[in-house]
Amino acid sequence: MFVTPNFVRIDIMNEFLKDVIKLKRRILVVDDEEINRRMLSKILSSEYEVLTAENGDRAIEIITGERELLSLILLDLYMPGKDGYEVLKLIRETPRLKKIPVIVLTSDGSAEVQSLKLGAADFIPKPYDLPDVILARIEKTIQLYEAINIVKATQFDPLTGLYNKEYFMEYALVMDQFYREREMDAVAVNINRFHILNEIHGRIIGDRILRMIGRALKEYAEEHDGIACRYDADGYFLYLPHGEDVYSGLSEKIKSIEDGIIKNIHNRIRYGIYPRSDRKCDIHRRFDCALLACNSIKGDYKREVSYYDSSMLEFEAYSERLAADMDQGLSEGRFKVYYQPKYFIQSEEPYLSSAEALIRWDHPELGMISPGQFIPIFEGNGMIRKLDRFVWREAARQIGEWKRLHGKSLPVSVNVSRIDLMETGFTDEIRSIMDEAGITPEEFLLEVTESAYTEDSDRIIEVVKNLRSLGMRIEMDDFGTGYSSLNMLSSLPIDVLKLDMGFIRNIENNEKNLKMVELVMNIASYLNLKVVAEGVETKEQYKLLKKTGVHLVQGYYFSRPVPADEMEKILLKG
Amino acid sequence: MITIEKLEQLGCNTAEGMERCLNDESFYLSLVPGAFERKRYEELERMIGESDLKAAFDEAHALKGVLSNLSITPLLDCVSEITERLRAGDNGDYSAILSRMWEIYSRFEGMLQ
């Protein structure tokens, strides 16, 4: 039932000791009778290195000095001075010594029981058994203790003292076998952006947090007849009998361990719970499901808990399918860049000012896939980098082509992520793309989301400043969805605020939204920024926005995103 | 000089004792004199005479261990009996068993000399 990992297999260890480092295990024989010591030494010396002690004090001296190297102690119980019982008691009560097995040497039946109760591993009667019997008993005892010691040393995570993942899974299976009818919850617990805590406060504080959380989770698990482990750097699993209030219970437990240095650590904890986990599923799979639920809210500051349901698995399979198909889609030209025009509206008649490049995927089997579906997936797995670069190159090439063919310059904006901006050489890459396409920085606009500025803002600001120094214009996308302060906004190197479409929706019926837009216009005016409104769908919205002074609009009212050939017609129409 | 034959003549189960010494005759014979340290038997007698039963038991028990490992059977039987009486806290008359012990001991002592 219990699978011992290969690296703790005792026969492998024996082979290593014997054949690789040519080591004989060391045994201490403690007996006040020289004849007994010599006789045992004779029996053991072919297989072991034998040390001897003639009394209890000398034995303790040797044991203390050799503790890491002693494989076994053969201990006579009756000795003058410190007797074998005292030595045995001391060994068993000293944590660093108690892993050494002790076999007692005795001629009394009653002493055998007593010494086993005191923690002796075995006994060898006097007169001694045949040498082969003694050697066999010693070998078995050493093997057993070495296996136990290795298991003890490897089953726990050294930092938190919780089980490690491998043993946790084994013990979870054991629980299933003993409690066949019990419904069990698989729980994944993760610390949101833990690496940032480590970076800001240092590893020592980070480790302290991990230990404190581990301790709290262990307590909770023990109080509820469950088990807990640390499964990776900042993640934990718990396997618990089903409860209706697991989330609130765990959350309360974590809140109770508030640290003096890191305030509100509980706000960073995310819980993924697979309630009444399906026992027909492999135990690893069940925790994958809990983790899937947990990861679904990773980075979401508003949600702390997510419960696994089968749709998550379907979504996971769908995500994997899209990830697997992306490269083929790119090579077969299934990804298309569409363009949505932006119109300047603060003139008598609106006129085409620029456009935004947007990606579309015409999948051979799944049909047209909304970017709202595949972009978050590719952002999550990092594949967005490749797709972004495809869009940048294609948009730049198209701008250049229109310019060459028609002598018309249409600035096009492309989206860049926070990850892109953080990459070394990003500015050079953009410059090279523009050079290759034969376009100017004024023709290539970059849209950066507001949220990109919230972390490592100094670094982002530095990169954006460099880009502007090339003559590029930067649009802050989705403005109003992040948490920019006015103070921060004034220091950001941007040219345009792009109002999130949430403000525009129902603007004609929602006084508050209209007031918000007016407020943003005041701020933009103060900061000397242009404002773009996206998601404009009706004439009424357009009129209201024009009245508030919004400079540019983008949306279905003027045009949906269109393929390059249609955009070309719009461009030519002017 | 101690020999296997002499020990056997005196009733020792040398085959058994030798087996514990991996059938190394000279090693076995080198251990035997250690089981006949006269002083230890005298001490045992003294302790019994002084009714120091605890100390006497420890000594008898230790001798029993050595004699049994070497299979010095005749003396082992005698010392075992003393050990068990002492273990039971018997403070009675040990003169008969002690005299038997010395009688057997003297036979071996002759051989040792």
Side-chain angles (χ1 to χ4, degrees):
Chain A
M1 177 178 68
F2 190 85
V3 182
T4 309
N6 273 340
F7 62 89
V8 300
R9 287 265 306 275
I10 201 70
D11 49 345
I12 292 175
M13 176 65 88
N14 281 342
E15 213 170 276
F16 173 74
L17 291 173
K18 241 183 198 173
D19 301 339
V20 181
I21 59 173
K22 316 280 182 210
L23 185 92
K24 272 187 177 178
R25 286 183 174 77
R26 207 168 281 187
I27 291 182
L28 173 65
V29 175
V30 188
D31 198 312
D32 58 320
E33 292 294 340
E34 191 192 348
I35 292 174
N36 295 343
R37 293 198 302 273
R38 286 182 64 194
M39 193 176 270
L40 282 171
S41 299
K42 172 90 177 167
I43 294 169
L44 302 176
S45 58
S46 61
E47 297 286 324
Y48 302 96
E49 185 182 336
V50 184
L51 307 176
T52 58
E54 65 282 6
N55 58 49
D57 288 322
R58 177 73 187 126
I60 287 164
E61 207 180 300
I62 294 175
I63 294 164
T64 312
E66 301 269 331
R67 63 172 182 266
E68 301 300 334
L69 301 168
L70 278 182
S71 292
L72 184 100
I73 299 165
L74 289 173
L75 180 65
D76 182 29
L77 288 177
Y78 294 104
M79 292 184 289
K82 196 166 272 160
D83 67 14
Y85 288 115
E86 285 178 78
V87 176
L88 183 57
K89 197 161 174 273
L90 182 97
I91 293 169
R92 290 293 156 250
E93 285 173 357
T94 310
R96 299 186 74 173
L97 301 181
K98 68 179 177 189
K99 64 180 184 180
I100 309 170
V102 176
I103 294 181
V104 298
L105 307 164
T106 178
S107 55
D108 298 334
S110 61
E112 289 164 5
V113 177
Q114 198 185 346
S115 53
L116 289 174
K117 278 184 183 167
L118 272 174
D122 199 356
F123 55 87
I124 289 177
K126 287 181 189 172
Y128 298 149
D129 290 319
L130 294 178
D132 285 347
V133 176
I134 292 176
L135 287 169
R137 290 178 91 148
I138 286 174
E139 192 184 347
K140 284 286 160 210
T141 303
I142 291 175
Q143 285 188 356
L144 178 69
Y145 268 67
E146 283 183 356
I148 290 170
N149 289 335
I150 291 171
V151 167
K152 277 184 181 168
T154 54
Q155 72 174 339
F156 297 115
D157 164 48
L159 182 69
T160 61
L162 298 177
Y163 290 124
N164 65 31
K165 188 179 168 189
E166 204 166 29
Y167 281 91
F168 172 83
M169 293 297 178
E170 292 293 344
Y171 290 135
L173 281 177
V174 171
M175 287 173 82
D176 279 356
Q177 280 158 358
F178 277 93
Y179 300 102
R180 287 175 187 277
E181 303 303 320
R182 194 149 80 175
E183 292 179 316
M184 299 294 288
D185 296 343
V187 182
V189 179
N190 193 279
I191 310 169
N192 222 357
R193 296 172 189 266
F194 178 73
H195 65 282
I196 290 171
L197 286 182
N198 251 351
E199 279 167 25
I200 296 172
H201 299 285
R203 185 78 180 271
I204 293 171
I205 300 290
D207 283 353
R208 194 167 96 189
I209 292 168
L210 290 173
R211 273 196 298 272
M212 287 192 328
I213 293 172
R215 199 158 46 232
L217 295 177
K218 188 173 183 225
E219 265 178 37
Y220 185 87
E222 284 170 358
E223 286 162 10
H224 293 80
D225 299 327
I227 52 173
C229 81
R230 179 171 172 226
Y231 72 84
D232 74 3
D234 55 2
Y236 307 83
F237 284 148
L238 292 99
Y239 196 48
L240 305 163
H242 174 66
E244 292 302 331
D245 54 357
V246 171
Y247 160 58
S248 57
L250 282 169
S251 179
E252 283 304 310
K253 200 77 181 171
I254 297 287
K255 278 178 191 163
S256 72
I257 52 131
E258 282 303 344
D259 181 60
I261 294 173
I262 316 285
K263 302 287 179 200
N264 300 321
I265 187 71
H266 66 270
N267 287 337
R268 286 180 175 265
I269 309 289
R270 298 288 170 271
Y271 303 90
I273 302 178
Y274 180 9
R276 298 188 174 94
S277 60
D278 183 356
R279 290 203 180 190
K280 289 194 286 293
C281 282
D282 172 72
I283 188 76
H284 291 270
R285 187 73 198 142
R286 280 183 269 159
F287 279 95
D288 284 346
C289 293
L291 198 54
L292 195 61
C294 192
N295 287 341
S296 71
I297 50 169
K298 207 171 185 178
D300 184 339
Y301 285 93
K302 292 170 198 150
R303 289 181 63 195
E304 284 189 357
V305 64
S306 169
Y307 292 89
Y308 169 77
D309 68 61
S310 55
S311 68
M312 284 183 177
L313 206 58
E314 284 163 23
F315 178 73
E316 179 79 353
Y318 181 66
S319 302
E320 280 174 21
R321 165 93 193 263
L322 296 190
D325 291 351
M326 191 190 89
D327 277 338
Q328 197 178 351
L330 281 171
S331 63
E332 291 177 355
R334 290 284 179 176
F335 284 97
K336 305 275 185 204
V337 177
Y338 276 46
Y339 299 86
Q340 187 167 39
K342 297 177 197 174
Y343 286 86
F344 184 78
I345 58 169
Q346 294 304 325
S347 52
E348 202 171 320
E349 285 298 319
Y351 64 83
L352 181 65
S353 164
S354 57
E356 180 181 1
L358 297 159
I359 188 79
R360 293 289 181 270
W361 189 359
D362 183 12
H363 193 282
E365 287 161 32
L366 304 172
M368 286 301 284
I369 306 172
S370 157
Q373 285 184 24
F374 64 79
I375 286 179
I377 293 168
F378 294 158
E379 278 176 342
N381 63 21
M383 293 170 84
I384 193 70
R385 289 183 67 255
K386 201 168 186 179
L387 206 58
D388 278 346
R389 276 148 185 80
F390 166 74
V391 176
W392 302 343
R393 287 187 185 284
E394 179 53 25
R397 188 200 62 74
Q398 190 62 73
I399 302 166
E401 188 177 298
W402 286 330
K403 203 158 76 165
R404 277 193 304 281
L405 287 175
H406 310 297
K408 292 205 171 204
S409 168
L410 179 70
V412 172
S413 60
V414 294
N415 289 282
V416 293
S417 71
R418 192 179 155 277
I419 304 165
D420 296 324
L421 291 168
M422 294 294 280
E423 273 184 25
T424 321
F426 171 73
T427 309
D428 292 340
E429 192 177 2
I430 291 290
R431 190 164 28 198
S432 148
I433 288 172
M434 291 190 298
D435 290 347
E436 274 175 37
I439 62 174
T440 63
E442 292 75 25
E443 291 166 326
F444 205 49
L445 314 176
L446 300 182
E447 293 193 17
V448 182
T449 57
E450 183 186 5
S451 58
Y453 290 93
T454 51
E455 270 178 29
D456 296 313
S457 53
D458 290 348
R459 171 100 179 95
I460 300 285
I461 288 170
E462 190 192 324
V463 177
V464 173
K465 272 184 179 165
N466 284 340
L467 292 163
R468 286 182 87 222
S469 70
L470 295 177
M472 301 192 76
R473 279 176 292 157
I474 311 295
E475 299 188 352
M476 182 188 261
D477 201 7
D478 300 335
F479 180 71
T481 57
Y483 300 94
S484 308
S485 65
L486 285 178
N487 185 36
M488 184 184 169
L489 203 58
S490 67
S491 65
L492 291 179
I494 50 173
D495 303 279
V496 177
L497 287 180
K498 209 168 170 190
L499 267 176
D500 184 66
M501 60 178 71
F503 287 108
I504 313 305
R505 204 170 293 137
N506 285 328
I507 193 175
E508 59 271 46
N509 305 317
N510 189 325
E511 181 79 5
K512 260 189 189 169
N513 276 4
L514 183 61
K515 289 283 175 206
M516 283 300 291
V517 174
E518 286 170 353
L519 192 63
V520 171
M521 287 313 299
N522 284 336
I523 296 166
S525 164
Y526 175 72
L527 297 172
N528 202 22
L529 302 173
K530 293 269 183 298
V531 174
V532 179
E534 56 182 336
V536 180
E537 293 179 349
T538 66
K539 190 172 187 177
E540 256 185 310
Q541 288 171 346
Y542 157 65
K543 281 183 171 173
L544 280 168
L545 291 167
K546 181 170 179 169
K547 205 171 153 191
T548 57
V550 164
H551 305 93
L552 294 134
V553 296
Q554 173 184 347
Y556 276 36
Y557 176 65
F558 283 102
S559 171
R560 60 184 170 79
V562 293
D565 55 347
E566 281 187 45
M567 187 66 231
E568 189 174 347
K569 286 176 194 159
I570 296 170
L571 174 65
L572 293 175
K573 245 201 280 175
Chain B
M1 184 187 162
I2 316 167
T3 63
I4 294 295
E5 291 73 26
K6 282 184 191 168
L7 286 168
E8 279 177 358
Q9 280 167 19
L10 289 169
C12 298
N13 186 356
T14 55
E16 193 183 78
M18 285 262 290
E19 225 170 356
R20 291 191 192 98
C21 298
L22 305 175
N23 292 315
D24 182 337
E25 187 179 311
S26 61
F27 178 73
Y28 172 69
L29 292 175
S30 75
L31 295 181
V32 170
F36 294 96
E37 273 183 53
R38 186 175 187 88
K39 203 179 154 202
R40 296 185 66 177
Y41 294 89
E42 288 171 350
E43 275 295 293
L44 175 61
E45 187 172 31
R46 182 187 63 76
M47 289 164 186
I48 291 172
E50 291 172 1
S51 295
D52 188 351
L53 300 190
K54 167 77 176 68
F57 169 76
D58 287 346
E59 187 59 57
H61 187 265
L63 283 170
K64 179 187 156 192
V66 171
L67 294 166
S68 66
N69 277 335
L70 293 169
S71 296
I72 314 289
T73 322
L75 201 51
L76 169 65
D77 292 343
C78 205
V79 172
S80 290
E81 192 182 325
I82 295 171
T83 307
E84 293 318 308
R85 283 182 63 183
L86 289 166
R87 189 200 302 276
D90 179 355
N91 199 12
D93 183 8
Y94 283 78
S95 55
I97 185 79
L98 285 172
S99 137
R100 206 172 116 226
M101 179 188 84
W102 282 119
E103 191 266 316
I104 297 168
Y105 182 89
S106 63
R107 279 190 252 152
F108 281 92
E109 196 176 34
M111 175 192 72
L112 289 167
Q113 285 163 0

